[in-house]
Amino acid sequence: MGNDTKNIILTGDRPTGRLHLGHYVGSLKRRVELQNSGEYDDIYILIADDQALTDNADNPGKIRDNIVNVVLDYLSAGLDPNKITICVQSALPALHALTFYYMNLVTTARLSRNPTVKAEIQMRGFADEGLPAGFFAYPVSQAADITAFKANVVPVGEDQLPMLEQTREIVEKFNRIYGKTLVLPKAMIPENETQRRLPGVDGKAKMSKSLGNCIYLSDSAKTVKKQVNGKMFTDPTHLRIEDPGHIEGNVVFTYLDAFCNDRHFADYLPAYANLQEMKDHYCRGGLGDGVCKKFLIQVLEETLEPIRAERAKWENHIDDVYDILRDGTLRAREVTNETLSEVQQAMRIDYFNNRNIIKEWEKIIKEQHI
Ligand code: TRP
């Protein structure tokens, strides 16, 4: 029981769309590094389709279609099914059972205080339309996800910290009431600002499908060029090339911060040794946005082209993708069922594991007659 020795990672995504550059810098890149670090005994990546249904109940087709897109994005970004386990939430019934038990360890008042869920309720208009109970309670199901895998490390974006906090509270309460059973997890969040939040190409805080400001990992080179040249927000006061420019809020430079290194300058823009020199020139005046954007496209393509090529290969073998997902899910089913058994034992609701309870019941019935 428990997990005092193993290093286990669980993280996941809602399959509501293809993954974009924001996902890449914020999580995918690091997952690949963690996978290759050799420091973890097990790494599980959960495709949280049930969680996605909590605000898409009327559109299950969208979730169904995007499961394959998300797996393709994982595989093409370098996640290796020989090193990690990719699995689908809806096919793991232990998660549903755990969610139901954990619901009793959380108050509705506590759920109402979750700042991420609060913001999402506003964004989705649930405040006016009515709030699905499943959506309201999804942090509880996320606690089930994390604990079912006995994860001690959960790499997530900053917006997920409230989920981890709630998970920890549930774990502590469970262990206090029923005896030490569950592993207390901790969040691992991206180190620097650009990793934490890559803005959309239009400069809006977040890449989002509905805003049309994303660069998807699966976009063609032509589309990437169009997004950068046609839509990327720069410095509205930088009207002529010789005008002094500003870096703050200039999306081209935000993306360069996230993606470029000195070698890129040697290869594509040898006039500068590094990004700082380029920024200095931009601020002084005399460096046009066209040159900056052309360089950024070259830099982005170094990340995107290999991903695109890998995706093209997998897209011709969807049957293999299916097998990877099924095998991973079956493996995950064993692990999560094991945890569910331990939880039911701790709660003493494991009535049919053995016949011991017959004696207990007989004794109770006898005493009722005294
Ligand atoms: N809520 C997460 C998100 O929107 C996805 C998720 C579901 C998750 N279950 C998880 C993340 C378990 C980490 C661990 O990004």
Side-chain angles (χ1 to χ4, degrees):
M1 262 196 222
N3 164 32
D4 294 327
T5 48
K6 281 190 156 183
N7 254 335
I8 297 177
I9 284 181
L10 177 275
T11 185
D13 298 288
R14 298 179 192 170
T16 52
R18 290 176 291 149
L19 303 181
H20 51 58
L21 280 180
H23 294 113
Y24 183 78
V25 292
S27 68
L28 285 179
K29 190 162 174 250
R30 193 173 44 160
R31 289 181 194 173
V32 175
E33 287 162 8
L34 292 168
Q35 157 194 283
N36 295 331
S37 74
E39 284 172 29
Y40 294 89
D41 297 290
D42 293 303
I43 299 181
Y44 299 95
I45 315 279
L46 181 72
I47 301 195
D49 60 334
D50 286 337
Q51 188 178 113
L53 283 169
T54 63
D55 62 335
N56 287 285
D58 55 353
N59 197 3
K62 173 171 124 190
I63 310 306
R64 183 182 162 93
D65 295 349
N66 279 306
I67 290 176
V68 67
N69 268 318
V70 170
V71 186
L72 283 168
D73 286 331
Y74 288 166
L75 296 172
S76 40
L79 288 178
D80 177 353
N82 294 310
K83 297 182 181 159
I84 56 145
T85 301
I86 304 173
C87 53
V88 178
Q89 187 178 35
S90 58
L92 303 173
L95 302 184
H96 308 142
L98 290 173
T99 302
F100 206 61
Y101 301 138
Y102 296 170
M103 293 259 211
N104 304 326
L105 306 178
V106 183
T107 64
T108 56
R110 176 64 182 88
L111 283 169
S112 310
R113 283 198 299 274
N114 185 309
T116 298
V117 178
K118 253 187 179 164
E120 288 172 333
I121 288 169
Q122 285 311 317
M123 243 160 52
R124 286 161 177 72
F126 288 155
D128 312 317
E129 280 170 28
L131 171 59
F135 187 81
F136 180 62
Y138 89 73
V140 183
S141 111
Q142 197 157 327
D145 302 341
I146 294 167
T147 54
F149 288 92
K150 300 187 168 71
N152 57 336
V153 178
V154 184
V156 280
E158 235 175 349
D159 63 328
Q160 296 296 302
L161 286 175
M163 311 304 159
L164 263 293
E165 209 177 298
Q166 282 203 299
T167 301
R168 290 171 62 89
E169 287 172 25
I170 290 170
V171 166
E172 279 167 346
K173 192 156 184 188
F174 188 100
N175 288 347
R176 195 166 63 240
I177 299 175
Y178 304 110
K180 187 170 178 336
T181 310
L182 302 174
V183 176
L184 192 64
K186 60 175 188 298
M188 179 194 256
I189 61 166
E191 280 142 33
N192 63 52
E193 190 61 34
T194 34
Q195 286 174 341
R196 276 206 274 272
R197 183 145 309 200
L198 194 72
V201 293
D202 58 357
K204 296 242 168 67
K206 235 180 152 159
M207 281 201 181
S208 118
K209 190 179 177 159
S210 53
L211 294 173
N213 62 1
C214 303
I215 294 176
Y216 293 102
L217 298 178
S218 45
D219 276 344
S220 67
K222 199 173 140 206
T223 304
V224 173
K225 210 166 166 180
K226 221 167 78 191
Q227 287 291 72
V228 175
N229 285 333
K231 283 201 192 153
M232 195 167 276
F233 185 83
T234 55
D235 170 9
T237 69
H238 186 234
L239 295 173
R240 287 162 306 172
I241 291 182
E242 57 277 18
D243 289 339
H246 298 87
I247 304 297
E248 181 74 21
N250 187 323
V251 181
V252 174
F253 285 99
T254 312
Y255 278 44
L256 285 174
D257 275 328
F259 288 96
C260 91
N261 57 43
D262 294 354
R263 206 257 314 138
H264 290 127
F265 283 96
D267 286 357
Y268 305 120
L269 201 58
Y272 311 103
N274 54 48
L275 186 54
Q276 194 52 52
E277 284 187 21
M278 182 185 180
K279 283 180 179 173
D280 290 344
H281 191 187
Y282 191 82
C283 293
R284 278 198 312 275
L287 174 56
D289 286 340
V291 173
C292 301
K293 286 186 167 181
K294 183 169 174 225
F295 176 57
L296 174 62
I297 290 168
Q298 288 170 312
V299 168
L300 290 180
E301 281 302 319
E302 278 204 18
T303 294
L304 290 171
E305 184 42 40
I307 295 177
R308 205 180 283 134
E310 197 61 21
R311 198 182 217 269
K313 277 195 250 166
W314 286 108
E315 283 181 354
N316 288 319
H317 297 281
I318 298 296
D319 52 341
D320 290 341
V321 175
Y322 176 89
D323 288 340
I324 287 167
L325 199 54
R326 189 207 46 204
D327 292 351
T329 303
L330 293 180
R331 219 161 35 240
R333 198 178 278 170
E334 279 176 34
V335 175
T336 53
N337 280 345
E338 169 91 23
T339 304
L340 177 61
S341 294
E342 291 167 5
V343 160
Q344 290 178 329
Q345 261 175 54
M347 295 173 73
R348 307 209 56 213
I349 56 175
D350 56 331
Y351 305 117
F352 305 111
N353 279 356
N354 53 53
R355 300 174 71 84
N356 294 349
I357 198 171
I358 296 172
K359 287 263 168 305
E360 260 179 62
W361 280 347
E362 283 171 349
K363 191 164 164 252
I364 285 163
I365 297 302
K366 214 177 275 166
E367 282 169 4
Q368 278 173 187
H369 287 293
I370 297 173

